[in-house]
Structures are given as structure tokens and as C-alpha cells.
Amino acid sequence: MTTGSDILQVQPYPDGFGAEVSGLDLALPLSSAVQADLARLWAQYAVLSFRGQPLTLDQLEAFTLSVGPFGNDPYIAPMPGRPNVLELRREPDEKATNFGAGWHSDWSFLETPPAATLLRSEVVPPVGGDTYFADGRRAYDDLSETLKKLLEPLRAVHSARRSYGTQGVFAAETEARTMKIIVSEEADKALTHPLVRTHPVTGRKALYISPVYTVGIEGMTEKEGQAILTFLFAHMIQPEYIYQHKWTAGALIMWDNRCTMHFAKGGYDGHLRVMHRTTVAGEVPA
Ligand code: SIN
């Protein structure tokens, strides 16, 4: 596939969900034509993968800023001297569940959740550690018109409470964890976003919910909300909507939180895994 900038090559993954981009060195400043191409490709494919990009942290920050301003990352202590970079690190002997081991869209409990997350691999275990992505756009498209009509006006309730709240999984954790998680009363709060979100660039609709952060549906009883959400979660993670990313060292992926959810698979006990993560600020979901 050719692009406006004529230097990058794009290999779309099946069903147009995700694409591998090559021909670029992300360590170097990108021309505005390349930046525009990447913005267009990212909006189209939702997950962009770049191999062979052993970026320094400065270069990762610079590339992130070429996509947009940094997002806000609550509840996890950033790297020392790097307020916008998280290190996702799990030691070989660590017993705590790997970070991100539940389907979620990053920080969807914020008023303005991040549009993009960038994740760059530093140390990749020889087994396990894949990242799975679910396509909320095709999952929405394939629903019946009757169900779409029912979902369209609904607002889903999002909260960080199950993870970072005072009664959440991290508060109850007994195993030592390398990453510094900040449990907070703030995380017990909740807000609502449209259950069906319209992408601000493509205009495509997507299911904007996740089992980790979506805790109910506004105006419905707990039982009613959970029944609908349980159906939708199972629908979204059917194999046809999933892209499974197998990591190599020095690779980078950039995903669109506005129309996807993701899940970090474990399976690498006994091995070190180190990733560096940044986010790009987003807008109020509509
Ligand atoms: C996450 O950002 O949820 C973690 C993804 C991963 O480590 O694969």
C-alpha cells in the first residue's frame, strides 16, 4: 500500500484490524507528511505495529509527542525523572498477576481518557507475554439493528474502583509487585460515557466498554446492566474481533483506546518482561 509520504510500507492485518508499518526509523524526527500518514493509518487500523525500533526513552517521548500531547496516567508511579513514562516491569520471580491482565481500554474512567497508548518492548520473555486487542468497531457493526437502537442512547458507568479503589484488587494484593501502584479513594468514583462511541476522526461507531472499568449502565438496575454488559463483553472477545500481538525486542505498538480494548497475557513466570508505556491525551468521549 502506498502512502503520501512514499517511504512507509503498510501491511494490514486480517479484517483491517491492526497493521504493521515499516520503512521508518522512529528514533528520527518525522516529517509532517509522515506524521499525517501515521495519523491516517492509526485512525483506519486502530493498532499500528512497528518492529525494530529500539528507542531510547527520550526518543519514545519525542515520538509520542509527534502523535499528540501526553495523556494523564493515574494510579501508577512513573519512572524516576520521566513523569510521562510508565515502566511495566515484571521480575522472573514475581508472583503478582501481570499488569493489564484483564480486558480494558486505558483509563476510560477519566473524563478525557487517552486517545492513544504507545507500548515499546525492552525485554521480551521467550514464552507468553502477548498483548491481545479487541476491535470495538466491528463488534458494534455486527450487532442487529434492533440491539444497536437499544444501545445507542445508553451511557455506561466507568470506574477504576475494581482495580485501584480502596476495596479493589490492588488494595487486596498480598504478593510483592515491582510496579508501584497507587490505591486511592479517588478511584472509587464513577462517571459515565456513551456506551457506543463515535470516533472523532473516522466517524465510525464502536462499543466503548470493558470488563475492568465498566461497572454498570446508567438508569438500569445492577442486574439489568450486568446482563447487557456480560453479553456485550462475550460478543467483543470472539476470535474474529481479536488481534494477538507477539512481541519482539525493540518493537512498538500504538493503539486507539477510543475503539479497542486490550488484555496483557501472562504465561512467562520465571522470565523478565520490561515494557515502556506512554499515552497521548484524548477528548471527552461522544
Ligand atoms: C497494558 O497497557 O494494559 C499492558 C499491556 C502489556 O503489557 O502487554
Side-chain angles (χ1 to χ4, degrees):
M1 180 180 294
T2 55
T3 58
S5 58
D6 259 2
I7 56 166
L8 49 89
Q9 288 103 46
V10 185
Q11 185 61 57
Y13 298 143
D15 301 310
F17 182 44
E20 175 130 2
V21 179
S22 53
L24 285 181
D25 182 351
L26 301 182
L28 302 175
L30 302 176
S31 68
S32 46
V34 170
Q35 286 182 30
D37 272 341
L38 288 182
R40 183 176 54 75
L41 293 169
W42 177 52
Q44 180 174 354
Y45 295 110
V47 182
L48 295 185
S49 155
F50 307 82
R51 306 261 174 199
Q53 306 288 342
L55 306 183
T56 64
L57 293 176
D58 283 347
Q59 289 162 344
L60 174 63
E61 288 175 334
F63 176 59
T64 305
L65 287 171
S66 79
V67 180
F70 288 124
N72 163 25
D73 289 301
Y75 308 128
I76 302 172
M79 294 186 77
R82 304 266 175 192
N84 297 295
V85 183
L86 302 184
E87 182 165 80
L88 312 189
R89 184 183 190 96
R90 191 167 184 273
E91 295 292 337
D93 60 353
E94 205 161 318
K95 300 282 181 296
T97 312
N98 62 292
F99 178 76
W103 285 105
H104 63 285
S105 172
D106 284 330
W107 312 143
S108 69
F109 49 81
L110 295 178
E111 256 173 62
T112 53
T117 301
L118 286 78
L119 190 62
R120 200 273 326 238
S121 52
E122 183 78 26
V123 180
V124 174
V127 288
D130 297 351
T131 309
Y132 290 67
F133 294 89
D135 187 352
R137 306 166 305 176
R138 283 180 303 124
Y140 172 78
D141 291 345
D142 290 349
L143 295 173
S144 69
E145 291 307 314
T146 307
L147 186 52
K148 283 181 186 163
K149 270 205 194 86
L150 184 129
L151 299 178
E152 196 81 29
L154 298 180
R155 294 188 68 84
V157 182
H158 295 250
S159 172
R161 68 180 179 229
R162 289 177 183 157
S163 306
Y164 305 101
T166 50
Q167 312 293 316
V169 291
F170 290 117
E173 192 163 76
T174 50
E175 299 290 356
R177 178 179 290 278
T178 308
M179 288 175 63
K180 176 138 181 32
I181 307 284
I182 302 154
V183 167
S184 162
E185 279 179 12
E186 185 68 22
D188 294 332
K189 294 182 179 165
L191 52 58
T192 66
H193 290 309
L195 192 152
V196 177
R197 183 171 181 178
T198 304
H199 196 281
V201 177
T202 63
R204 273 188 84 173
K205 290 182 177 171
L207 292 170
Y208 186 60
I209 49 173
S210 74
V212 171
Y213 295 136
T214 310
V215 297
I217 298 179
E218 189 176 57
M220 291 194 178
T221 65
E222 171 81 15
K223 263 192 181 170
E224 290 166 346
Q226 286 313 321
I228 293 175
L229 290 172
T230 301
F231 165 77
L232 291 174
F233 296 150
H235 171 69
M236 289 170 86
I237 60 168
Q238 294 178 93
E240 59 265 42
Y241 306 129
I242 303 294
Y243 163 62
Q244 177 180 357
H245 187 76
K246 290 201 168 295
W247 287 96
T248 48
L252 183 142
I253 47 175
M254 163 175 152
W255 65 81
D256 193 330
N257 286 304
R258 299 169 292 192
C259 55
T260 65
M261 56 177 190
H262 59 281
F263 177 99
K265 191 98 169 97
Y268 54 93
D269 283 1
H271 302 284
L272 178 67
R273 184 177 188 264
V274 184
M275 316 289 278
H276 291 121
R277 199 182 102 147
T278 55
T279 55
V280 171
E283 56 285 309
V284 175

